[in-house]
């Protein structure tokens, strides 16, 4: 029987495009045997691993982020002055946000509390800030692990798990397909980091330059890995026009990247028919 490993990369709001990949799997009646993810990829991977369909995850994103009142209500649980700042890429006035609180405010209430309660094994990537290394989390409490994996520096406070200070996993491994490369599986990996949009000689703002530089660094990591080993299927949806915090544009991201669904189906069917 063919086994599938699904790898969902980091990229903030751009990761909403992962929904189309999940829908393609649902179309084909395929379920991954293992999922690994970084940052937003770990969050969406957790939803899928817990039993949500691709369509349900997409609907949840649109419903949650298309209604300003809904967003405001959830943000109010964190701090009133952050309602606008987190989605406009300006710095929060009173410091960094607590990633665990954000997770609990915005994630579906039905997510399992622990890794072992999920339907599909999940590996989550975070970065050890002081140890300069990748940390892979696949057991214990789920929300703290997702918070650590998605703790974008400057926006979120670092998370401390088991005495280790952790930040966004995309910094060390944006598309962690190497975690499953030794398995006897078809590896489907998705990169949603994007690159800075070319605006000619326009000088980027301080915030845009910072986020853009992180994109360049993460793409360098992924491209170097691809030179040594490529997954069976590697997908890069057209997400560069969106910013890392453009969650309020969930419906636009899904519309812009809808061709990803057919691309994944075609490439998977080709491999499956050849086996």
């Amino acid at each position: 029987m063919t086994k599938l490993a699904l790898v969902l990369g980091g990229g903030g709001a751009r990761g909403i495009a992962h929904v189309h990949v999940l829908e393609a799997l649902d179309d084909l009646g395929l379920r991954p045997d293992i999922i690994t993810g970084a940052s937003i990829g770990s969050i969406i991977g957790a939803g899928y691993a817990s039993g949500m369909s691709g369509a349900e995850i997409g609907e949840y994103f649109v419903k949650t982020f298309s209604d300003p009142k809904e967003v405001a209500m959830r943000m109010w649980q964190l701090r009133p002055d952050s309602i606008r700042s987190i989605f406009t890429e300006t710095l929060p006035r009173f410091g960094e946000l607590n990633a665990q609180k954000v997770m609990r405010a915005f994630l579906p209430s039905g997510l399992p509390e622990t890794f072992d309660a999920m339907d599909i094994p999940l590996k989550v990537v975070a970065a050890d800030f002081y140890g300069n290394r990748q940390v892979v989390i696949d057991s214990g409490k789920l929300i703290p692990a997702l918070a650590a994996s998605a703790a974008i520096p400057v926006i979120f406070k670092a998370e401390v798990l088991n005495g280790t200070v952790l930040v966004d996993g995309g910094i060390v491994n944006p598309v962690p397909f190497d975690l499953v490369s030794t398995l006897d599986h078809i590896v489907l990996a998705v990169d949603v980091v994007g690159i800075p949009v070319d605006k000619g000689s326009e000088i980027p703002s301080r915030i845009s330059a910072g986020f853009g530089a992180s994109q360049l660094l993460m793409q360098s990591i992924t491209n170097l890995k691809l030179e040594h080993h490529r997954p069976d299927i590697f997908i890069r949806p057209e997400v560069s026009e969106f910013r890392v915090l453009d969650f309020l544009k969930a419906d636009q991201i899904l519309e812009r990247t809808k061709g990803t669904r057919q691309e994944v189906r075609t490439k998977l069917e080709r491999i499956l028919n050849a086996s």
Side-chain angles (χ1 to χ4, degrees):
M1 180 180 293
T2 301
K3 293 185 177 182
L4 175 68
L6 177 63
V7 183
L8 302 176
R14 304 180 192 103
I16 294 172
H18 287 318
V19 166
H20 297 304
V21 178
L22 308 183
E23 289 179 325
L25 298 182
D26 293 339
D27 290 342
L28 297 173
L30 297 175
R31 291 290 282 173
D33 295 275
I34 187 170
I35 300 173
T36 182
S39 199
I40 189 67
S42 70
I43 294 170
I44 293 179
Y48 202 58
S50 68
M52 295 180 71
S53 68
E56 288 171 337
I57 294 173
E59 290 168 4
Y60 185 83
F61 269 112
V62 172
K63 179 182 178 181
T64 301
F65 292 102
S66 62
D67 183 355
K69 291 182 179 179
E70 177 74 14
V71 174
M73 181 186 71
R74 292 170 185 263
M75 287 301 299
W76 193 263
Q77 301 175 41
L78 308 175
R79 59 166 61 91
D81 287 316
S82 294
I83 292 173
R84 291 182 60 82
S85 64
I86 187 174
F87 295 114
T88 56
E89 291 192 357
T90 57
L91 299 179
R93 289 177 59 183
F94 294 120
E96 300 153 309
L97 295 168
N98 182 308
Q100 285 197 49
K101 287 184 178 180
V102 173
M103 296 294 123
R104 296 194 181 278
F106 282 93
L107 292 184
S109 58
L111 281 184
E113 289 293 322
T114 60
F115 279 82
D116 59 10
M118 288 188 289
D119 298 337
I120 301 172
L122 174 70
K123 293 181 181 291
V124 169
V125 175
D128 180 346
F129 186 78
Y130 293 116
N132 187 29
R133 66 187 179 95
Q134 169 180 268
V135 174
V136 180
I137 309 169
D138 58 7
S139 62
K141 294 183 178 181
L142 180 63
I143 296 298
L146 298 181
S149 183
I152 301 172
V154 180
I155 299 299
F156 296 107
K157 294 178 182 178
E159 290 288 320
V160 180
L161 297 183
N162 301 318
T164 302
V165 177
L166 302 174
V167 295
D168 186 5
I171 294 173
V172 289
N173 202 347
V175 193
F177 55 82
D178 51 302
L179 299 186
V180 293
S181 61
T182 60
L183 300 178
D184 186 21
H185 287 48
I186 294 172
V187 177
L188 166 58
V190 190
D191 174 14
V192 291
V193 170
I195 58 174
V197 175
D198 188 354
K199 295 183 179 180
S201 58
E202 178 182 325
I203 302 297
S205 69
R206 176 170 59 93
I207 299 300
S208 294
F211 281 116
S214 69
Q215 285 179 283
L216 299 178
L217 289 170
M218 288 190 284
Q219 288 290 8
S220 295
I221 292 171
T222 299
N223 289 336
L224 183 61
K225 287 169 53 183
L226 289 171
E227 289 180 4
H228 293 85
H229 176 77
R230 293 189 68 89
D232 298 288
I233 301 174
F234 187 74
I235 304 292
R236 273 181 167 147
E238 296 292 334
V239 294
S240 293
E241 69 191 77
F242 300 102
R243 300 175 299 177
V244 70
L245 297 177
D246 271 345
F247 287 95
L248 294 179
K249 297 181 179 179
D251 53 348
Q252 296 175 45
I253 294 171
L254 289 172
E255 176 63 25
R256 178 69 178 85
T257 59
K258 63 183 180 181
T260 302
R261 183 174 183 172
Q262 185 58 50
E263 180 185 1
V264 172
R265 283 190 55 169
T266 299
K267 291 183 176 180
L268 269 172
E269 288 175 329
R270 186 180 299 133
I271 289 179
L272 293 172
N273 291 335
S275 61

